[in-house]
Amino acid sequence: MADFQPHLVEDALRTLGVGRDRMRDANRHWQAMAHARRGPGPLTRYRSALGRPESTTRRRVGDLVVEAHSWALPLWRDLCFEVMTAPDGTVWNEELVRAPGGRAAVPRTVEDVTPWSCTIAEVARAFPPVRPMEGSAPSRSRLAFEAPTAAGGTGHVVAEFTWGLVQRLVT
């Protein structure tokens, strides 16, 4: 996220009382686990980094029954980090989602889609149809869509997301 919104990351570090050195150490540790030949499996990595999930629930997605593991986040009380696993334990999806009882974002115009304001699901619901696009890294994704502008026109935009949270719009 620091690639897209360094000032928001700096604000977040201050809010959490964490310095850049600790952030870099955590990232180094995460990268070592993620790329180790004999490292822990994907779900084990998340448990190592985030602790035990706050909740684990079964969900049906089409014909597939998955487990959704959710962690509360001290920085974003209205969001949680969710990791979905297939029946064989394979991580199927991992992203920030609106927490149960959290106040959902309901963007109505392009200008409402600001950094860190909306999840990918909220943007997709607000401006159908959307066209999913590949992101520049495994934790990144993009959505192309049209949306009304505050000036009364229509904007053709691509929203870029990291871990399912909007980072920026490209018009």
Side-chain angles (χ1 to χ4, degrees), residues 5 19 26-27 35 37 40 54 64 71 94 98 110 119 128 158-159 163:
Q5 299 298 330
N27 184 57
H35 298 292
R37 290 181 77 95
E54 186 174 276
L64 185 64
W71 287 266
E94 51 217 325
R98 198 57 57 185
V110 170
T119 66
V158 173
W163 298 110

Side-chain angles (χ1 to χ4, degrees), residues 37-116:
R37 290 181 77 95
R38 298 192 194 280
L43 186 57
T44 303
R45 282 195 307 263
Y46 288 111
R47 287 185 172 144
S48 174
L50 301 170
R52 289 187 61 149
E54 186 174 276
S55 68
T56 298
T57 57
R58 291 182 160 276
R59 255 188 233 156
R60 180 171 291 281
V61 179
D63 291 338
L64 185 64
V65 175
V66 300
E67 284 193 332
H69 310 272
S70 298
W71 287 266
L73 302 170
L75 185 61
W76 294 299
R77 300 285 181 202
D78 285 340
L79 298 173
C80 61
F81 189 74
E82 181 178 82
V83 175
M84 295 176 90
T85 56
D88 67 357
T90 302
V91 170
W92 178 56
N93 193 36
E94 51 217 325
E95 65 186 1
L96 293 161
V97 298
R98 198 57 57 185
R103 191 181 70 231
V106 185
R108 300 202 191 297
T109 67
V110 170
E111 292 82 5
D112 294 337
V113 183
T114 59
W116 295 15

Side-chain angles (χ1 to χ4, degrees), residues 84-170:
M84 295 176 90
T85 56
D88 67 357
T90 302
V91 170
W92 178 56
N93 193 36
E94 51 217 325
E95 65 186 1
L96 293 161
V97 298
R98 198 57 57 185
R103 191 181 70 231
V106 185
R108 300 202 191 297
T109 67
V110 170
E111 292 82 5
D112 294 337
V113 183
T114 59
W116 295 15
S117 68
C118 307
T119 66
I120 197 166
E122 292 164 340
V123 172
R125 271 194 304 273
F127 306 114
V130 297
R131 184 171 49 96
M133 302 169 66
E134 189 172 334
S136 60
S139 61
R140 296 179 181 174
S141 55
R142 299 182 304 157
L143 287 181
F145 60 95
E146 292 183 14
T149 64
T154 300
H156 305 274
V157 297
V158 173
E160 295 188 82
F161 298 84
T162 300
W163 298 110
L165 190 63
V166 69
Q167 299 299 310
R168 68 178 177 184
L169 295 182
V170 180

Side-chain angles (χ1 to χ4, degrees), residues 19-35:
R20 288 185 85 38
D21 289 344
R22 186 163 170 208
M23 181 183 77
R24 279 192 290 274
D25 288 344
N27 184 57
R28 190 176 312 111
H29 179 69
W30 176 258
Q31 294 300 326
M33 280 194 306
H35 298 292

